Every structure is written in structure tokens, then in C-alpha cells.
Amino acid sequence: MSVSPASVSPALGSAPSQADLLEFVRRTAADAELIASLPLDPEGRTWVRLKGPRGSEAWLIGWPPGTGTGWHDHADSVGAFLTVSGELKENSLIARLPTDGWKTLELAEGVDRERRLPAGEGRSFGRHHVHEVLNDSHQQHAVSVHAYYPPLPRIRRYSRTGQVLRLEQVERPEDWQ
């Protein structure tokens, strides 16, 4: 399903910035009819792919209680997301990691950041941003809108034990279509 909510209107043909993507997710989150159209599943995350501004990729995602993404990055894409309902927690690393050529890294102390994003709050992020997003509520679904540019070329998935981050898998668009 592809839906095209009103997009921002910066210069035609230019790549959307992080600010443009954040504005898009804010405007999309205000579309009550679109948000209500997302089927929610008590067992697993649900999503609808959206048409983002100027060639970007966007998703509307439902998060049952206790679900999350695991540690990952969005490779060369910048992005933004906003919590529409419920609350999401983002754990992220404030250190820049090497982009390729490694399997295991030992993280320095003090690189962790935790951010709570209740309904109406969002954020943007740059390339190679490593994070995990969670709905750690025990009772309430959360819903969010996400946008990325360029469209996700790959997602790298990591496992983490203490300060050790290990690359586990590289997903390509055909894996989540």
C-alpha cells in the first residue's frame, strides 16, 4: 500500500534535508485518517509504506507493547521519526562508527544516549546513526512515522553485549518489501 500525504515544498529536485524529513513526519502524523488506517497487531509490529517527499522513503509503524527494532543503522540515509501515539524509547550511540570493514567493536564508556519520545515528539538523525527503538510499555501500542533519504540502501543489524557491538546481518530493500 502506498499513500501520499501532503509533502513539504522546498526547492523542486533538491534532496530533502533532515529538517524536511522531520517536517514531513510531523505533517503525516497529523493525518488522523491515515493513522487510523494502520492495522495494529497484538503480537508484532505492523507497517504501511508511504510516499515521502522528493524521492524519500517513509513508513507508518505500529508497535505492540514490548516490541523493538534491535540495534541497527540506516547506512547512508538520513532520517527522521515521530511518535504519533504511545511512547517510544530510543537508545543510540553518540560515537561515529567505522562504516565498513569490521565485525566486532568495543565501545568506549559514555557513548550511550537514551531518549524518550512521547506522542508528538520526534527527531532527525544523520548518516550511519546507530540506534534501537523500543515500545517498552507493558500495555499500550505506540504508532510512529519514519522517513529516510535516500531510500534505504541497506540496514545493518547489530547485537550488543555490554560495550561490545557485533555486526550480525546486512538487510537490503528486497528483504523488507
Side-chain angles (χ1 to χ4, degrees):
M1 175 179 192
S2 185
V3 180
S4 180
S7 64
V8 294
S9 57
L12 188 62
S14 65
S17 67
Q18 291 178 37
D20 295 334
L21 295 175
L22 187 56
E23 176 59 23
F24 170 81
V25 298
R26 280 194 174 107
R27 291 173 63 148
T28 302
D31 184 338
E33 186 176 329
L34 173 64
I35 302 309
S37 75
L38 178 67
L40 298 178
D41 182 327
E43 300 298 319
R45 289 189 302 148
T46 54
W47 54 86
V48 174
R49 190 175 191 149
L50 307 172
K51 181 178 165 79
R54 298 190 318 282
S56 64
E57 174 174 2
W59 300 86
L60 176 62
I61 301 176
W63 306 75
T67 59
T69 60
W71 286 94
H72 68 283
D73 71 19
H74 304 102
D76 295 317
S77 297
V78 298
F81 69 100
L82 181 130
T83 305
V84 178
S85 63
E87 179 178 84
L88 293 174
K89 177 174 116 175
E90 179 194 36
N91 295 319
S92 62
L93 301 177
I94 58 173
R96 176 94 177 178
L97 303 181
T99 57
D100 288 304
W102 63 275
K103 188 80 169 156
T104 303
L105 287 176
E106 182 151 353
L107 302 170
E109 294 293 326
V111 298
D112 291 294
R113 171 177 284 162
E114 179 183 307
R115 180 179 277 131
R116 295 245 168 222
L117 297 159
E121 288 195 27
R123 70 174 310 256
S124 63
F125 53 85
R127 299 179 195 307
H128 309 290
H129 176 69
V130 177
H131 68 166
E132 67 175 347
V133 180
L134 310 155
N135 176 6
D136 60 4
S137 169
H138 297 290
Q139 301 171 342
Q140 185 179 10
H141 257 83
V143 174
S144 58
V145 180
H146 303 247
Y148 310 98
Y149 186 86
L152 297 172
R154 60 187 169 158
I155 292 178
R156 291 178 289 225
R157 300 229 175 247
Y158 306 97
S159 62
R160 181 159 180 199
T161 305
Q163 294 304 110
V164 176
L165 190 69
R166 179 174 179 79
L167 176 64
E168 297 291 344
Q169 180 180 11
V170 178
E171 294 177 3
R172 307 239 179 257
E174 55 271 16
D175 298 328
W176 61 80
Q177 294 297 334

